[in-house]
């Protein structure tokens, strides 16, 4: 029994580190989940992070994607650029219709992915190329992606296109 408990004691730190890694390396938000202002998701390879931020010299809050591991804070995409939150009550969630939405503390919508087809089971994944993709869980069908709504940054793997209008 003494050897078994020593082995358990040796494994405990390893298991704790593994559990910590699992909680930090989450790259997907599901229909039943939300991300509060202080929380974030990180792409699988830890290249990009999605969460709420305030630009330098501002108290406005935005949902955005930025590089995770470079020293200069570099935002590559912003959801609610036209309608910033005024405090840290922001929430990113998937609405019952299947849209990604940014809400304030009073559950007012500050931004939406505006997917027209109603889907009950969807999830959004942040990829290592900086693309946030909203998919139908059962089929994998892409409903919306941030690369189709670029900010002022062009990344590799982005496909630029034009319409006749």
């Amino acid at each position: 029994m003494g050897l078994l408990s020593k082995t358990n004691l040796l494994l405990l730190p390893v298991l704790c580190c593994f559990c910590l890694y699992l909680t930090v390396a989450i790259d997907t938000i599901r229909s039943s989940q939300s991300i509060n202002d202080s929380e974030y998701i990180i792409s699988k390879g830890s290249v990009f992070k999605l969460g709420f931020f305030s630009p330098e010299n501002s108290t406005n809050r935005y949902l955005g994607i930025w590089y995770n591991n470079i020293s200069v804070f570099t935002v590559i995409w912003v959801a609610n650029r036209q309608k910033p939150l005024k405090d840290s009550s922001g929430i990113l969630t998937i609405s019952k219709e299947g849209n990604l939405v940014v809400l304030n503390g009073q559950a007012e919508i500050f931004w939406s992915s505006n997917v027209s087809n109603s889907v009950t089971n969807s999830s959004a994944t942040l990829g290592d190329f900086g693309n946030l993709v909203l998919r139908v869980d059962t089929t994998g069908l892409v409903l919306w992606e941030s690369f189709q709504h670029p900010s002022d940054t062009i990344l590799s793997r982005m496909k630029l296109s034009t319409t006749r209008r």
Side-chain angles (χ1 to χ4, degrees), residues 67-129:
Y67 286 99
N68 185 39
N69 290 322
I70 63 172
S71 58
V72 178
F73 183 70
T74 306
V75 176
I76 58 122
W77 181 80
V78 178
N80 59 318
R81 181 182 301 264
Q82 302 302 320
K83 194 172 180 183
L85 294 153
K86 298 301 178 188
D87 58 28
S88 60
S89 67
I91 298 168
L92 171 67
T93 192
I94 298 175
S95 70
K96 62 183 177 217
E97 296 83 21
N99 276 299
L100 277 170
V101 291
V102 173
L103 307 170
N104 68 1
Q106 291 74 44
E108 296 171 308
I109 297 175
F110 273 57
W111 174 85
S112 173
S113 58
N114 287 323
V115 174
S116 57
N117 299 341
S118 186
V119 177
T120 55
N121 289 320
S122 56
S123 59
T125 302
L126 179 60
D128 278 332
F129 296 105

Side-chain angles (χ1 to χ4, degrees), residues 129-149:
F129 296 105
N131 195 15
L132 179 64
V133 180
L134 180 64
R135 286 188 172 87
V136 178
D137 283 341
T138 53
T139 64
L141 175 71
V142 173
L143 300 169
W144 177 93
E145 56 185 305
S146 61
F147 274 11
Q148 295 299 316
H149 307 274

Side-chain angles (χ1 to χ4, degrees), residues 25-77:
I26 295 173
D27 65 346
T28 301
I29 177 175
R30 305 207 177 281
S31 303
S32 59
Q33 299 172 319
S34 61
I35 296 175
N36 295 322
D37 187 274
S38 61
E39 300 171 329
Y40 52 85
I41 60 175
I42 298 178
S43 65
K44 259 196 178 109
S46 296
V47 179
F48 291 97
K49 184 184 278 190
L50 175 134
F52 290 92
F53 72 96
S54 288
E56 202 172 315
N57 301 319
S58 174
T59 57
N60 289 339
R61 302 290 289 165
Y62 299 90
L63 177 79
I65 299 171
W66 60 89
Y67 286 99
N68 185 39
N69 290 322
I70 63 172
S71 58
V72 178
F73 183 70
T74 306
V75 176
I76 58 122
W77 181 80

